[in-house]
Amino acid sequence: MDIAHEIKTGKKPCNWTMAYKSIIGFGDARVFTDEQTKKTALDLIMLKYSKNISEPQTLPFEYSESNLENTAAIRIDILQMTGKKSGGI
C-alpha cells in the first residue's frame, strides 16, 4: 500500500523516478459474510472518517440491504509488516 507518492521528472525519461512511502504486510485474512459483522465493520470505517467533516455523523448508521449484500468485510491479522521510503517524502 502506498501512503504517499510523487513523480520526480528529469530531462530524459530514464532520469524520472518516484518518491514514495509504502508498507507491505503479511497475515491471515478472513472473509465475513454475515450481515452484522459487515455492519460493524462499516460502522468503524464511518466513525473514523466522519470525525473529519463539519457535521460528524453518529451511530446508528443505516445501510441498504443491497449495499450490504455487495460489501465484503475482510479482517487481516497482521503477522509481519515492513515499510520503505524513497526520494524525500
Side-chain angles (χ1 to χ4, degrees):
M1 163 176 56
D2 289 335
I3 57 173
H5 59 273
E6 178 183 336
I7 294 174
K8 303 286 188 174
T9 62
K11 291 187 180 203
K12 298 179 182 179
C14 290
N15 293 43
W16 285 43
T17 189
M18 182 172 286
Y20 61 87
K21 290 181 183 177
S22 66
I23 188 166
I24 298 173
F26 300 91
D28 296 322
R30 181 173 170 198
V31 178
F32 294 95
T33 57
D34 68 282
E35 190 174 285
Q36 187 54 52
T37 303
K38 289 181 182 184
K39 284 181 182 180
T40 300
L42 290 170
D43 284 347
L44 291 171
I45 293 167
M46 290 297 298
L47 285 171
K48 176 180 176 163
Y49 289 103
S50 69
K51 285 189 281 187
N52 297 326
I53 61 174
S54 60
E55 294 180 29
Q57 297 185 17
T58 59
L59 292 170
F61 296 107
E62 294 182 21
Y63 312 101
S64 70
E65 282 188 39
S66 64
N67 282 344
L68 287 172
E69 288 173 11
N70 292 310
T71 298
I74 303 169
R75 173 182 162 170
I76 301 173
D77 295 318
I78 301 297
L79 301 174
Q80 181 182 356
M81 194 175 349
T82 184
K84 186 175 178 180
K85 79 175 192 170
S86 172
I89 283 187

